[in-house]
């Protein structure tokens, strides 16, 4: 069985223990902005918030202003790039670093680990593999810390968007002060959107979070449950103002304009 085939088999397993960390901030660093942007776009499709850097010096300087939750160093075809780049980034941040190899040799892997990498992927490496390794690393941190890893270190609490209020502790939802009964699937979908209220969450990331990675191609599940939520939460489900679709990108939970909420 080839390596790519093995990775596809891994992707379709039940990965409930590795929930996609929607919204977590990842920095992708490569020797060249084009390559970094290519990786960044693919990771964004899984729900990460990604910043791309064409050289490690620029990335290290950026970390002084806003540290990411994880770093991916894509070595590309630059022999000799790994250890220097990773060592510089390790000095700038203590978050997990994944190195995507160039040569794929044991010697290169050793240099990356010695320079401060936490994981090493042999080339050619798909973005799906990077995604899985990122989630495994972040889960390990979560288990060690004894709490859930959340974007920007936030903790669960009630979320209010317009007339909708959500309590994650009791998984209760209210609209205009009245409780709205939701199924477990409806609640998971709404809460994933609410965690990133005002932001577009990619469809692939929503499906993976709510149903599992093995269902990322089943977009009809997402459309069906978006319709269910709109029927329960929108004043006019045919003209949604809370749960909006951004064509080609995903869905967002937004606060309507004040005039739209007037009775």
């Amino acid at each position: 069985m080839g390596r790519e085939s093995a990775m596809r088999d891994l992707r379709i397993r039940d990965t409930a223990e590795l929930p996609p960390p929607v919204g977590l901030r990842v920095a992708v660093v490569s020797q060249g902005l084009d390559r970094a942007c290519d990786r960044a776009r693919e990771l964004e499709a899984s729900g990460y918030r990604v910043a791309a850097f064409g050289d490690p010096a620029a990335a290290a300087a950026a970390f002084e202003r806003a540290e990411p939750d994880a770093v991916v160093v894509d070595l590309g075809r630059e022999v000799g790039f790994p250890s220097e780049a990773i060592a510089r980034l390790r000095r700038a941040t203590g978050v997990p670093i994944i190195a995507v190899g160039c040569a794929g040799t044991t010697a290169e892997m050793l240099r990356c680990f010695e320079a401060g990498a936490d994981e090493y992927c042999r080339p050619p490496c798909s973005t799906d593999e990077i995604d899985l390794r990122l989630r495994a690393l972040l889960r390990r941190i979560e288990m060690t810390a004894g709490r859930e890893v959340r974007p920007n270190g936030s903790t669960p609490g009630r979320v209010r968007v317009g007339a909708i209020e959500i309590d994650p502790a009791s998984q209760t939802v209210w609209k205009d002060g009245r409780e709205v009964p939701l199924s477990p699937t409806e609640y998971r979908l709404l809460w994933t959107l609410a965690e990133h209220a005002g932001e577009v969450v990619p469809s692939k990331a929503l499906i993976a979070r709510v149903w599992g990675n093995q269902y990322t191609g089943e977009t009809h599940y997402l459309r069906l449950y978006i319709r269910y939520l709109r029927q329960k939460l929108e004043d006019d489900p045919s003209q949604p103002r809370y749960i909006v679709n951004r064509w080609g990108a995903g869905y967002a939970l937004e606060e309507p304009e004040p005039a739209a909420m007037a009775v």
Side-chain angles (χ1 to χ4, degrees):
M1 179 183 294
R3 189 166 183 272
E4 290 300 318
S5 177
M7 283 306 303
R8 283 194 298 271
D9 289 344
L10 180 59
R11 289 291 291 180
I12 63 174
R13 292 180 190 171
D14 182 4
T15 54
E17 295 301 316
L18 291 173
V22 176
L24 286 175
R25 299 163 301 167
V26 176
V28 176
V29 185
S30 191
Q31 194 77 336
L33 190 57
D34 287 346
R35 188 177 185 87
C37 286
D38 287 344
R39 285 290 191 193
R41 281 192 292 270
E42 292 174 353
L43 285 170
E44 283 174 344
S46 293
Y48 296 92
R49 298 173 64 181
V50 188
F53 299 92
D55 70 89
F63 295 170
E64 295 179 1
R65 299 187 296 274
E67 189 177 54
D69 296 302
V71 178
V72 175
V73 182
D74 191 335
L75 307 181
R77 293 176 293 277
E78 299 293 330
V79 177
F81 173 54
S83 57
E84 177 187 350
I86 293 169
R88 173 174 286 187
L89 294 169
R90 176 48 73 210
R91 289 192 294 269
T93 181
V95 304
I97 295 177
I98 294 179
V100 180
C102 166
T105 61
T106 301
E108 181 183 69
M109 183 191 303
L110 177 61
R111 287 198 303 272
C112 289
F113 283 131
E114 288 179 338
D118 299 282
E119 273 282 5
Y120 175 88
C121 302
R122 293 183 186 274
C125 175
S126 69
T127 304
D128 280 346
E129 180 177 347
I130 295 172
D131 173 34
L132 287 173
R133 291 181 183 272
L134 276 170
R135 286 189 272 141
L137 279 170
L138 293 167
R139 181 187 62 173
R140 195 179 311 157
I141 293 172
E142 171 188 335
M143 292 171 66
T144 301
R147 59 179 176 84
E148 184 177 357
V149 176
R150 291 181 174 269
N152 305 319
S154 63
T155 55
R158 284 198 178 193
V159 172
R160 187 176 183 89
V161 179
I164 298 173
E165 188 172 6
I166 308 166
D167 180 9
S170 62
Q171 298 192 1
T172 305
V173 177
W174 298 270
K175 170 79 180 293
D176 292 320
R178 290 187 292 242
E179 185 174 342
V180 179
L182 297 181
S183 72
T185 301
E186 291 167 349
Y187 176 80
R188 286 197 303 273
L189 178 55
L190 179 63
W191 179 244
T192 302
L193 291 168
E195 285 182 302
H196 311 281
E199 302 176 8
V200 176
V201 182
S203 297
K204 179 180 175 182
L206 283 169
I207 296 169
R209 172 66 69 87
V210 177
W211 288 276
N213 294 286
Q214 65 270 40
Y215 295 101
T216 51
E218 307 294 337
T219 56
H220 61 283
Y221 287 155
L222 179 58
R223 291 194 298 269
L224 180 64
Y225 277 84
I226 288 290
R227 190 170 81 233
Y228 291 161
L229 282 178
R230 284 172 172 168
Q231 289 171 347
K232 293 184 176 182
L233 296 172
E234 297 282 359
D235 295 326
D236 180 358
S238 66
Q239 298 291 328
R241 297 183 182 276
Y242 284 100
I243 303 170
V244 296
N245 184 11
R246 300 303 181 205
W247 293 105
Y251 293 88
L253 179 65
E254 296 185 350
E255 185 158 347
E257 295 294 330
M261 295 177 60
V263 177

